[in-house]
C-alpha cells in the first residue's frame, strides 16, 4: 500500500484507502454542454474525426479539468470504435446518434475480425498525450463498451430502446450470438490492455444496455460472464489496475454482478436505492469494494436546491464505504456549467 502514497485521491479511494476529499468525475464530462468542446468539434468536422485525432481528443479530454475541480480525466473516445475497427461503417448522424452496417446473418459473425488494431492507434496516442500533460493528483481513466452492449449496436445497426433485432437474433441464433460475444471479449480485452499500456491508470467497462439481457433472463450469460472474462484477462496482466464495472439498470442484479466479477468499483445508475444495495451486498457477505454514480443527470440539469439535497443524500448514504462521486449516466448536453460548479462546491463543502 505504501506505493500508493503519492497517487491521486481517485486511485487511493478505489483501492480502499480513506481520503479526506471524495474524488469526483462525471460520465460525459467532456462534450457538447461545454462551449470550448463545441468549438473544437466544429473545427474537426465530425465526432469520429475528433475521436481519431490524438491532439484534438487529448485537448477535449483535458477541457473539463481546466474548468472544474475534477479528480480524473476520462479519455475522449467512444465504445463504438471497436465495431468501426471491424469495418462496420460507423457514422454519427447529427441528432440521430450512431449508425452502423447491421450484422444480418451468422456468416458475418464468423467472418468478423478487427481489420487492423492500428485503426485504434490514435486512441492510445491520445492517452499518452493526456498522461504527459496531467497533474499527478489527477487520474486517467480508459474505457470500453462491454460485449453485449457493443453486440446490440452491431446487430441493431443503431441505438434503440428495446433493440428488437438484437433480441430476435439471440433468440434464434444463440450459438452465433455467443460467437460474437466471444470475439468482442477478445477485441475489448486487447483494447483495454493497450489503453493501460498507453497510460490509463484505471478502466471502466460500460454495459449500458444490460437491461435488454436482463429482461430476457440472460444477464448472467451475456453480461456477467463476458465482463468477468475481460476482467480476468486484464487482471492476469495488470493486477493492480483498478476496474470499474457499470451494468446500467441491472436493478437487484447489481449484487450478482459484484459477487461474480472481480471488479474494484461498481458504478450505479440513478434508479438504485443505495441503502438497499449496500444491505443486499452485506447479507450476501460480498467483499467490500468502491462505489460510484447515482446522481440523476436530470437533477444536475435542473440544478439548485434539489440537486444539493440529492448530492448530500448520496454522500451520506455512501459514507460508510469507499466512494467516488459520479452521475448515474452521462451529462446531458443542455446542462449549464454553473450547475457543475455548484455540484462540486456542494461535495467539497460536505467533506469539510
Ligand atoms: O464520458 C466521457 O466524457 C468520455 C467520452 C465518452 C463518449 N461516449 C463520447 C461521446 C464515453 C465514455 C462514451 C461511451 C458511450 N458511447 C456509451 C456508453 C455510455 C452511455 O452513454 O450509455 C455509449 C452507449 C456510446 C454510443 C454513443 N456515442 C451514442 C449512443 C451516441 C449518441 C448520443 C449522443 O449523446 O449524441 C454517441 C456520441 C457521443 N459519444 C458523443 C460524445 C461526446 C456526442 C458526439 C457529438 O459531439 O456530436
Amino acid at each position: 500500500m505504501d506505493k500508493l502514497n503519492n497517487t491521486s485521491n481517485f486511485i487511493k479511494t478505489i483501492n480502499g484507502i480513506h481520503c479526506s476529499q471524495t474524488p469526483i468525475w462525471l460520465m460525459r464530462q467532456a462534450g457538447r454542454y461545454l462551449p470550448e468542446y463545441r468549438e473544437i468539434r466544429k473545427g474537426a468536422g465530425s465526432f469520429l474525426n475528433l475521436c481519431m485525432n490524438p491532439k484534438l481528443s487529448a485537448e477535449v479530454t483535458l477541457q473539463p479539468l481546466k474548468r472544474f475541480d475534477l479528480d480524473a480525466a476520462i479519455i475522449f473516445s467512444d465504445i463504438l470504435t471497436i465495431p468501426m475497427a471491424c469495418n462496420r461503417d460507423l457514422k454519427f448522424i447529427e441528432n440521430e446518434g450512431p449508425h452502423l452496417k447491421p450484422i444480418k446473418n451468422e456468416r458475418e459473425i464468423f467472418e468478423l475480425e478487427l481489420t487492423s488494431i492500428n485503426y485504434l492507434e490514435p486512441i492510445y496516442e491520445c492517452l499518452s498525450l493526456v498522461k504527459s500533460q496531467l497533474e499527478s493528483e489527477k487520474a486517467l481513466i480508459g474505457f470500453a463498451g462491454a460485449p453485449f452492449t457493443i453486440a446490440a449496436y452491431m446487430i441493431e445497426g443503431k441505438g434503440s430502446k428495446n433493440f428488437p433485432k438484437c433480441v430476435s437474433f439471440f433468440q434464434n441464433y444463440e450459438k452465433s450470438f455467443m460467437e460474437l460475444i466471444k470475439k468482442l471479449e477478445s477485441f475489448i480485452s486487447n483494447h483495454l490492455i493497450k489503453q493501460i499500456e498507453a497510460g490509463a491508470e484505471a478502466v471502466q467497462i460500460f454495459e449500458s444496455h444490460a437491461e435488454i439481457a436482463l429482461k430476457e433472463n440472460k444477464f448472467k450469460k451475456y453480461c456477467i460472464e463476458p465482463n468477468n472474462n475481460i476482467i480476468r484477462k486484464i487482471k492476469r496482466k495488470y493486477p493492480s489496475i483498478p476496474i470499474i464495472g457499470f451494468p446500467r439498470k441491472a436493478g437487484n442484479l447489481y449484487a450478482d454482478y459484484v459477487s461474480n466479477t472481480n471488479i474494484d468499483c461498481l458504478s450505479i445508475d440513478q434508479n438504485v436505492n443505495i441503502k438497499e444495495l449496500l444491505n443486499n451486498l452485506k447479507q450476501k457477505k460480498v467483499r467490500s469494494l468502491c462505489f460510484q454514480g447515482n446522481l440523476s443527470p436530470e437533477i444536475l440539469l435542473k440544478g439548485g436546491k434539489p440537486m444539493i439535497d440529492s448530492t448530500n443524500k448520496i454522500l451520506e448514504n455512501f459514507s460508510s464505504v469507499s466512494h467516488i462521486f459520479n452521475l448515474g449516466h452521462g451529462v446531458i448536453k443542455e446542462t449549464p456549467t454553473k450547475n457543475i460548479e455548484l455540484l462540486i462546491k456542494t461535495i467539497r463543502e460536505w467533506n469539510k
Side-chain angles (χ1 to χ4, degrees):
M1 285 292 166
D2 277 355
K3 66 179 195 290
L4 292 172
N5 274 345
N6 295 320
T7 56
S8 58
N9 277 351
F10 176 97
I11 295 294
K12 281 186 186 144
T13 301
I14 209 167
N15 279 290
I17 298 168
H18 179 76
C19 294
S20 54
Q21 283 206 344
T22 307
I24 312 168
W25 73 280
L26 305 174
M27 286 187 260
R28 290 277 176 100
Q29 63 189 24
R32 286 168 300 189
Y33 76 101
L34 285 176
E36 59 271 34
Y37 168 80
R38 293 197 296 268
E39 194 59 41
I40 300 227
R41 166 83 163 71
K42 213 162 58 191
S46 74
F47 169 63
L48 274 181
N49 278 353
L50 183 50
C51 289
M52 290 299 143
N53 179 322
K55 259 177 108 173
L56 292 183
S57 54
E59 189 176 343
V60 165
T61 300
L62 289 164
Q63 281 176 342
L65 283 95
K66 293 200 171 122
R67 205 186 243 272
F68 309 115
D69 178 19
L70 294 162
D71 292 279
I74 180 160
I75 189 74
F76 188 82
S77 182
D78 200 85
I79 63 163
L80 299 177
T81 51
I82 288 197
M84 182 196 74
C86 296
N87 262 342
R88 303 309 299 177
D89 296 346
L90 175 67
K91 285 189 218 61
F92 282 87
I93 300 175
E94 214 57 54
N95 303 319
E96 275 189 42
H99 280 252
L100 356 86
K101 185 169 77 193
I103 288 178
K104 290 249 170 22
N105 52 47
E106 300 177 276
R107 188 178 43 84
E108 283 187 277
I109 292 177
F110 287 97
E111 285 172 3
L112 193 74
E113 52 186 350
L114 265 189
T115 45
S116 159
I117 192 80
N118 294 339
Y119 249 50
L120 300 174
E121 210 58 54
I123 300 174
Y124 315 131
E125 257 179 67
C126 170
L127 277 151
S128 315
L129 273 175
V130 174
K131 183 67 179 251
S132 68
Q133 293 171 46
L134 203 62
E135 296 160 50
S136 61
E137 314 84 81
K138 313 281 178 184
L140 178 55
I141 307 170
F143 74 90
F148 180 77
T149 293
I150 296 186
Y153 280 100
M154 290 179 87
I155 294 172
E156 205 69 29
K158 57 182 171 38
S160 157
K161 188 170 184 313
N162 297 314
F163 289 85
K165 282 189 196 152
C166 172
V167 173
S168 113
F169 193 96
F170 67 61
Q171 285 173 342
N172 290 312
Y173 310 104
E174 181 163 56
K175 197 163 162 276
S176 308
F177 187 74
M178 283 311 292
E179 176 73 14
L180 175 58
I181 295 278
K182 279 275 156 218
K183 283 194 169 182
L184 288 170
E185 248 177 54
S186 145
F187 302 160
I188 294 161
S189 314
N190 292 338
H191 185 41
L192 288 170
I193 286 172
K194 288 242 185 184
Q195 291 185 51
I196 292 165
E197 289 167 353
E201 296 160 90
V203 292
Q204 174 152 333
I205 303 173
F206 285 88
E207 188 71 281
S208 299
H209 296 296
E211 198 187 10
I212 310 288
L214 206 126
K215 279 186 189 152
E216 300 287 323
N217 286 324
K218 294 287 187 186
F219 183 60
K220 186 164 191 283
K221 188 165 182 188
Y222 294 168
C223 301
I224 293 182
E225 286 168 4
N227 275 239
N228 201 37
N229 290 338
I230 293 171
I231 294 161
R232 273 213 313 264
K233 233 171 147 179
I234 299 171
K235 293 271 178 203
R236 210 176 301 138
K237 203 153 185 202
Y238 296 107
S240 62
I241 294 287
I243 304 178
I244 309 167
F246 182 31
R248 193 165 76 90
K249 295 196 182 173
N252 41 28
L253 296 190
Y254 270 111
D256 279 16
Y257 182 89
V258 175
S259 315
N260 293 295
T261 61
N262 199 10
I263 49 161
D264 301 274
C265 178
L266 179 71
S267 199
I268 59 172
D269 65 78
Q270 58 270 32
N271 306 307
V272 178
N273 179 311
I274 297 172
K275 280 189 183 152
E276 274 175 25
L277 172 71
L278 295 182
N279 276 337
N280 197 353
L281 290 169
K282 207 168 167 186
Q283 265 170 15
K284 291 192 163 175
K285 297 197 165 55
V286 176
R287 73 202 142 82
S288 63
L289 76 162
C290 180
F291 295 85
Q292 155 188 300
N294 199 236
L295 181 70
S296 155
E298 279 81 19
I299 291 181
L300 176 63
L301 171 71
K302 290 191 192 115
K305 186 157 186 313
M307 181 187 80
I308 296 177
D309 292 346
S310 290
T311 301
N312 285 332
K313 196 169 158 214
I314 290 170
L315 288 161
E316 179 64 44
N317 284 338
F318 274 137
S319 58
S320 62
V321 293
S322 299
H323 173 216
I324 293 166
F325 200 93
N326 206 325
L327 305 176
H329 203 194
V331 178
I332 296 169
K333 86 171 183 221
E334 290 78 16
T335 306
T337 52
K338 71 169 183 9
N339 294 7
I340 297 186
E341 279 156 17
L342 179 62
L343 169 70
I344 296 174
K345 186 166 164 266
T346 308
I347 301 163
R348 298 297 185 222
E349 286 289 321
W350 196 88
N351 283 142
K352 273 185 189 159

